């Protein structure tokens, strides 16, 4: 018997809205200055209200925390700072009760040098299975030319070990030795770790840094065929023993190199779309849609069961590895005026500061995130426009405590402030007194309310997670326009026209919509019908950085509100019939229409 995950639909990840968070940063329950699972438990209602359907937890395993937990010292336990294994299980079950799936990390490329396997390996004789859990060499000339990833801290992919009297291989920090996938014991251990968490009911695993699993001399040691064999093996075991589970590939590669991580639908069901991300920022800054349409044109089709994971920001630097040299120069120039904002090959800033705290730009980027093909992944704190602290080391500036209210430590912890794992953001613009959940909940026009409404709206239409994408090509390149289309299994279909103005000035564009002649575009936030489409170019005007999501409906049907209105509203409408379209059109808050969980 296969063990089923919490979702009922095996393709649940296609309709998901994922929220990425670190338990350490979310809520501290016991006043030690470190977020923990009981704290997260107390914030699940918040996540449910926000409308996200899946929580991605950054690594929470025992670890010396020299790479924020990606340096694992024990795969099958919880770091005691965050609580116990049982605390984790309680959160997992409580998330499932709220119909939320839980995605965790399976970091299999490397461990911490404090992992007992590494400590044993150093002492074991060369050539023994214990030593061979990792990749060793007598010379640091093996695999010469393989690029270094953490360019700011590492000089080589090899580090000499005084105890073993050999070099060990590491693609990341020197305290993170790479596991040796040529040793069958490594795969056994990886599968044990997978089973440990999947048996408990975890719905998905993010496979960290998988392009680097297997090394082969004379290659870049990235994406080698043997690596794909290993991932297929993991997937096969998962499919044989579990149902409705997910593996998500972290492969920071060009689209053509990521494509093989989907296999024939027999590797990862999901993979991040890394190259799209910087190009959204580039298109915005250049006020030109080309960077986006260009990378999407280079994005290959993927098997029907597969899905892209798309994001604006995450816990790492905004990586600029998957852009050309010119594009990288431009991004550094446009988005990181202060050199402290840069790290490795990227920019360590959060969404709001990247766009100068401009609400319309934040909304525009989110509207793309929520309407492009794939599953959107939001980074904690970005829904309220949190800031960053570029004076913290490494990528820690974007990992500061969640800002819940204007009490001490932003409501994150009752500890004395000096004890917090990282200081809360304090500056006058992004500080917790200005930016916090409580204030934004009480403000109907806050970014938090806006985000919640957009998530709710997206979830009413499967087209966003499952539909096709086709770009229109209006002469005005400051306007990005695309059609999403989905044919459901039951003959029901959805067609949505998205139009976005990438410019800081108002724009007009003529769209060729002949194909949809006589249909009526209905603005989806307010359910407001626009003029019907004719055989002539369709004229559309947009405010600076504004966007429309327009459902194309047959003329007869338009417009039908998705959900019946309340009696009070009906009475209101009866009293003021003429105000109705006006009110609906100008009301950014659609909570009445879409929020009371429509599913
Ligand atoms: C992934 C993680 C990153 C980590 C690295 C090494 O890229 O996202 O945070 O430092 O792997 O484990
Ligand atoms: Ca704590």
């Amino acid at each position: 018997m296969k063990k089923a995950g919490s979702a009922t639909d095996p393709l649940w990840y296609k309709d998901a809205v994922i929220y990425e968070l670190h338990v350490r940063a979310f809520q501290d329950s016991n006043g030690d200055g470190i977020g923990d699972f009981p704290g997260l438990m107390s914030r699940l209602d918040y996540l449910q209200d926000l409308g996200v359907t899946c929580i991605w937890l950054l690594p929470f395993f025992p670890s010396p925390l020299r790479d924020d937990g990606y340096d694992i010292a024990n795969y099958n336990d919880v770091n005691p700072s965050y609580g116990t294994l049982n605390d984790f299980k309680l959160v997992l079950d409580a998330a499932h009760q709220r119909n939320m799936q839980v995605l965790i990390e399976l970091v299999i490329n490397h461990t911490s040098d404090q992992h007992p396997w590494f400590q044993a390996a150093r002492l074991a004789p060369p050539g023994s299975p214990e030593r061979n859990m990792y990749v060793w060499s007598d010379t640091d000339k093996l695999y010469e030319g393989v690029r270094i990833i953490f360019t700011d801290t590492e000089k080589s992919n090899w580090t000499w070990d005084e105890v073993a009297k050999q070099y060990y291989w590491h693609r990341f920090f020197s305290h993170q030795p790479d596991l040796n996938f040529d040793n069958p014991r490594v795969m056994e251990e990886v599968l044990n770790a997978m089973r440990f968490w999947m048996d408990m009911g975890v719905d998905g695993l993010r496979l960290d840094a998988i392009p680097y699993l297997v090394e082969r001399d004379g290659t870049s040691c990235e994406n080698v065929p043997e690596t794909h064999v290993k991932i297929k093996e993991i997937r096969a075991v998962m499919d044989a023993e579990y149902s409705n589970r997910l593996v998500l590939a972290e492969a920071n590669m060009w689209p053509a190199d990521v494509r093989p991580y989907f296999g024939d639908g027999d590797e990862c069901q999901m993979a991040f779309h890394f190259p799209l991300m910087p190009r959204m920022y580039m298109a915005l800054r250049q006020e030109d849609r080309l960077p986006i349409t260009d990378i999407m044109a280079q994005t290959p089709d993927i098997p029907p069961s597969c899905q892209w994971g798309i994001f604006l920001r995450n816990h790492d630097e905004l990586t600029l590895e998957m852009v050309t040299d010119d594009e990288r120069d431009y991004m550094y120039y446009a988005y990181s005026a202060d050199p402290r904002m840069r790290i490795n090959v990227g920019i360590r800033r959060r969404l709001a500061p990247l766009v100068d705290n401009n609400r319309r730009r934040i909304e525009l980027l989110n509207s793309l995130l929520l309407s492009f093909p794939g599953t959107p992944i939001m980074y904690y704190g970005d829904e309220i426009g949190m800031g960053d602290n570029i004076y913290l080391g490494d990528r820690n500036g974007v990992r500061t405590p969640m800002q819940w209210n204007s009490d001490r430590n932003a409501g994150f912890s009752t500890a004395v402030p000096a004890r917090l794992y990282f200081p809360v953001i304090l500056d006058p613009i992004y500080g917790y007194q200005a930016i916090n959940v409580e204030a934004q909940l009480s403000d109907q026009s806050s970014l938090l309310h806006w985000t919640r409404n957009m998530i709710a709206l997206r979830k009413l239409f499967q087209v966003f997670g499952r539909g096709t994408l086709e770009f229109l090509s209006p002469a005005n390149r400051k306007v990005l326009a695309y059609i999403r289309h989905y044919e459901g299994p039951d003959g029901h279909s959805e067609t949505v026209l998205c139009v976005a103005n990438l410019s800081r000035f108002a724009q007009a564009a003529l769209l060729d919509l002949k194909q949809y002649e006589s249909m009526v575009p209905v603005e989806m936030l307010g359910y407001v019908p626009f003029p019907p489409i004719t055989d002539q170019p369709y004229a559309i005007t947009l405010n600076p950085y504004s966007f429309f999501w327009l459902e194309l409906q047959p003329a007869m049907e338009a417009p039908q509100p998705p959900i019946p209105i309340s009696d009070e509203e009906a009475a209101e409408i009866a009293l003021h019939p003429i105000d109705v379209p006006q009110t609906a059109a100008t009301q950014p808050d659609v909570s009445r229409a879409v929020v009371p969980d429509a599913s």
Side-chain angles (χ1 to χ4, degrees):
M1 257 299 271
K2 291 194 198 186
K3 295 180 190 140
S6 69
T8 42
D9 182 349
L11 299 180
W12 60 271
Y13 47 86
K14 290 204 167 202
D15 305 313
V17 178
I18 301 180
Y19 187 90
E20 172 188 6
L21 72 89
H22 200 316
V23 64
R24 169 166 83 157
F26 216 54
Q27 179 68 55
D28 172 21
S29 72
N30 61 354
D32 66 356
I34 302 171
D36 43 51
F37 280 108
L40 173 55
M41 181 74 123
S42 71
R43 295 299 186 182
L44 287 181
D45 286 346
Y46 167 76
L47 296 176
Q48 189 177 18
D49 286 351
L50 181 58
V52 297
T53 67
C54 176
I55 310 172
W56 158 20
L57 298 175
L58 289 164
F60 52 76
F61 316 98
S63 159
L65 298 182
R66 296 177 70 191
D67 183 15
D68 208 1
Y70 281 97
D71 46 333
I72 294 177
N74 177 353
Y75 282 90
N76 300 344
D77 207 349
V78 167
N79 187 323
S81 313
Y82 308 147
T84 62
L85 201 49
N86 196 51
D87 293 332
F88 168 78
K89 280 188 207 160
L90 292 173
V91 166
L92 180 65
D93 293 345
H96 288 164
Q97 275 157 22
R98 288 167 170 78
N99 288 322
M100 291 192 277
Q101 276 64 57
V102 175
L103 173 71
I104 70 166
E105 297 269 351
L106 192 62
V107 185
I108 58 179
N109 179 65
H110 45 266
T111 70
S112 161
D113 59 6
Q114 300 307 304
H115 197 291
W117 300 336
F118 189 71
Q119 292 306 321
R122 308 169 75 191
L123 296 167
S128 63
E130 288 75 24
R131 171 73 67 106
N132 285 342
M133 286 296 282
Y134 295 86
V135 181
W136 299 93
S137 166
D138 292 329
T139 131
D140 60 358
K141 299 286 171 268
L142 187 61
Y143 310 141
E144 242 190 335
V146 171
R147 75 178 169 122
I148 289 165
I149 297 170
F150 285 164
T151 48
D152 284 5
T153 37
E154 301 302 325
K155 293 276 157 286
S156 165
N157 289 315
W158 291 108
T159 291
W160 177 254
D161 187 76
E162 260 312 322
V163 178
K165 304 277 183 230
Q166 274 192 310
Y167 291 95
Y168 61 88
W169 179 250
H170 55 87
R171 290 308 305 276
F172 294 93
F173 289 121
S174 58
H175 55 74
Q176 283 168 319
D178 276 31
L179 286 164
N180 172 17
F181 277 81
D182 288 326
N183 179 349
R185 279 185 52 179
V186 165
M187 186 53 94
E188 275 170 43
E189 294 292 354
V190 163
L191 295 176
N192 286 343
M194 176 177 90
R195 290 187 180 108
F196 182 83
W197 296 103
M198 290 218 156
D199 283 348
M200 217 176 284
V202 162
D203 301 282
L205 299 170
R206 170 186 179 273
L207 300 183
D208 181 66
I210 43 171
Y212 321 114
L213 295 187
V214 179
E215 303 73 33
R216 285 294 175 263
D217 207 10
T219 73
S220 64
C221 292
E222 302 189 355
N223 315 319
V224 301
E226 291 86 343
T227 286
H228 289 285
V229 174
K230 298 295 167 192
I231 300 166
K232 283 191 167 68
E233 207 176 321
I234 295 172
R235 174 68 187 274
V237 172
M238 185 178 96
D239 282 355
E241 300 176 18
Y242 306 93
S243 57
N244 302 356
R245 313 296 178 107
L246 165 74
V247 273
L248 161 59
E250 193 225 9
N252 183 358
M253 295 285 152
W254 290 95
D257 293 324
V258 178
R259 175 62 188 81
Y261 289 93
F262 295 114
D264 297 319
D266 58 356
E267 283 194 33
C268 297
Q269 294 108 316
M270 271 183 71
F272 292 106
H273 201 315
F274 276 97
L276 171 63
M277 182 272 303
R279 286 173 177 82
M280 294 200 252
Y281 291 95
M282 216 151 79
L284 180 67
R285 191 59 184 246
Q286 295 180 340
E287 304 197 353
D288 187 340
R289 65 177 183 243
L290 189 67
I292 292 174
T293 51
D294 182 53
I295 198 69
M296 293 310 272
Q298 289 178 49
T299 300
D301 287 340
I302 57 178
S305 61
C306 293
Q307 178 81 332
W308 292 105
I310 56 180
F311 59 101
L312 296 171
R313 287 299 295 114
N314 63 18
H315 64 290
D316 287 326
E317 70 276 26
L318 189 170
T319 164
L320 298 175
E321 287 163 304
M322 295 304 129
V323 297
T324 64
D325 292 349
D326 286 349
E327 291 170 330
R328 190 174 309 114
D329 289 347
Y330 181 80
M331 285 294 290
Y332 276 139
Y333 157 79
Y335 285 107
S336 61
D338 183 334
R340 282 205 72 96
M341 294 168 176
R342 303 173 194 174
I343 186 172
N344 299 323
V345 189
I347 302 172
R348 49 176 169 189
R349 302 182 76 192
R350 268 188 180 268
L351 174 60
L354 274 169
V355 296
D356 303 324
N357 208 24
N358 181 310
R359 174 76 181 267
R360 284 180 298 182
R361 279 188 248 165
I362 295 174
E363 291 184 2
L364 178 64
L365 285 173
N366 272 303
S367 80
L368 301 181
L369 176 73
L370 290 167
S371 64
F372 271 169
T375 292
I377 301 163
M378 298 187 162
Y379 187 50
Y380 85 92
D382 283 349
E383 74 275 25
I384 55 170
M386 256 172 71
D388 49 39
N389 178 354
I390 55 169
Y391 301 100
L392 295 176
D394 199 351
R395 293 146 290 173
N396 298 331
V398 302
R399 300 171 177 178
T400 60
M402 180 67 179
Q403 296 171 194
W404 295 105
N405 57 41
S406 57
D407 296 348
R408 172 165 43 167
N409 303 325
F412 160 74
S413 170
T414 56
V416 289
R419 200 177 168 191
L420 298 186
Y421 75 94
F422 288 144
V424 293
I425 303 285
L426 288 167
D427 65 72
I429 297 174
Y430 300 103
Y432 65 91
Q433 268 122 351
I435 303 288
N436 67 66
V437 168
E438 194 180 285
Q440 294 200 17
L441 281 177
S442 66
D443 172 6
Q444 286 295 317
S445 54
S446 64
L447 179 61
L448 179 57
H449 272 279
W450 180 88
T451 307
R452 200 158 75 164
N453 289 338
M454 291 301 287
I455 292 174
L457 180 57
R458 175 188 161 106
K459 289 197 314 192
L460 291 175
F461 295 85
Q462 278 196 306
V463 65
F464 294 118
R466 304 201 182 209
T468 55
L469 168 78
E470 185 206 334
F471 285 110
L472 303 177
S473 36
N476 183 351
R477 287 203 345 207
K478 296 182 191 304
V479 173
L480 175 69
Y482 46 103
I483 301 270
R484 304 293 320 273
H485 178 73
Y486 177 61
E487 294 284 338
D490 47 2
H492 146 97
S493 79
E494 294 170 359
T495 306
V496 171
L497 164 66
C498 301
V499 194
N501 177 8
L502 300 167
S503 163
R504 63 199 189 285
F505 301 116
Q507 297 293 326
L510 291 175
L511 306 178
D512 177 359
L513 295 174
K514 267 201 290 297
Q515 199 189 334
Y516 304 99
E517 189 180 341
S518 87
M519 293 188 92
V520 177
V522 179
E523 196 285 319
M524 290 160 68
L525 273 168
Y527 249 72
V528 181
F530 276 32
I533 298 166
T534 66
D535 60 350
Q536 294 303 303
Y538 195 84
I540 204 142
T541 56
L542 296 128
N543 276 334
Y545 298 128
S546 69
F547 67 91
F548 290 121
W549 291 359
L550 300 158
E551 189 185 6
L552 303 189
Q553 292 192 353
M556 298 298 288
E557 282 176 27
Q560 290 295 320
I563 292 212
I565 51 176
S566 70
D567 291 351
E568 284 98 329
E569 283 167 322
E572 175 82 2
I573 289 168
L575 278 176
H576 310 283
I578 296 157
D579 290 348
V580 176
Q582 270 285 354
T583 317
T586 48
Q587 262 288 352
D589 180 7
V590 293
S591 55
R592 287 171 309 163
V594 294
V595 161
D597 206 347
S599 49

